[in-house]
């Protein structure tokens, strides 16, 4: 079993910064990719940033230049540094990982429970 646990959400004023963290734990053989998605009220879940192992990082156009995704592979952790936050960034942010658990040759997608980010104007 694999678990993703996010932390770092909260309430911040427009223009402020937050840093989200997500730790993957459990029976992990390898992690193919990690990323962040978000879902605002009444909207579909959308990709924020994606960091595949050995590949290029990609960002949603709405966060380019403001958000930075990074990984610490030794700690199975992914971070999202969010700067110059705007009210429209308000959403529940979800960590996502594609993982090959130990004892299998298959990859599975896992999600964290979500962390609320609220940006006040």
């Amino acid at each position: 079993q694999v678990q993703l646990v996010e932390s770092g959400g909260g309430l911040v004023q427009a223009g402020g910064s937050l840093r989200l963290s997500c730790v993957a734990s459990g029976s992990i053989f390898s992690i193919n990719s990690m990323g962040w998605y978000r879902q605002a009220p009444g909207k579909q879940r959308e990709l924020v940033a994606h960091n595949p192992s050995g590949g290029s990082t990609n960002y949603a156009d709405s966060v380019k230049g403001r958000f930075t995704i990074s990984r610490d592979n030794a700690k199975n952790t992914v971070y999202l540094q969010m700067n110059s936050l705007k009210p429209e960034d308000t959403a529940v942010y979800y960590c996502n990982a594609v993982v090959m658990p130990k004892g299998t040759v298959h990859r599975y997608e896992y999600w964290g429970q979500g962390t609320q980010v609220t940006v006040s104007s």
Side-chain angles (χ1 to χ4, degrees):
Q1 189 63 276
V2 175
Q3 300 83 34
L4 303 181
V5 178
E6 303 111 330
S7 61
L11 173 64
V12 64
Q13 288 188 332
S17 298
L18 282 174
R19 188 193 195 207
L20 306 183
S21 300
C22 171
V23 180
S25 63
S27 185
I28 297 171
F29 177 76
S30 65
I31 297 178
N32 181 257
S33 68
M34 298 188 82
W36 292 94
Y37 289 71
R38 67 186 181 187
Q39 187 166 19
K43 295 188 177 181
Q44 289 188 330
R45 190 173 297 189
E46 63 176 1
L47 173 71
V48 176
H50 181 244
N51 187 319
S53 298
S56 300
T57 298
N58 58 291
Y59 297 91
D61 288 343
S62 59
V63 307
K64 283 180 180 177
R66 300 187 299 121
F67 290 11
T68 303
I69 189 172
S70 61
R71 282 173 62 179
D72 184 335
N73 292 325
K75 297 181 179 179
N76 288 340
T77 300
V78 63
Y79 305 96
L80 185 68
Q81 178 66 43
M82 305 186 292
N83 298 328
S84 302
L85 282 160
K86 304 175 181 180
E88 51 263 44
D89 294 317
T90 296
V92 177
Y93 284 69
Y94 295 92
C95 178
N96 171 276
V98 176
V99 175
M100 181 180 291
K102 292 178 181 176
T104 179
V105 296
H106 302 290
R107 296 186 179 95
Y108 299 90
E109 186 175 42
Y110 295 89
W111 293 90
Q113 81 285 355
T115 184
Q116 177 70 46
V117 171
T118 302
V119 185
S120 63
S121 57

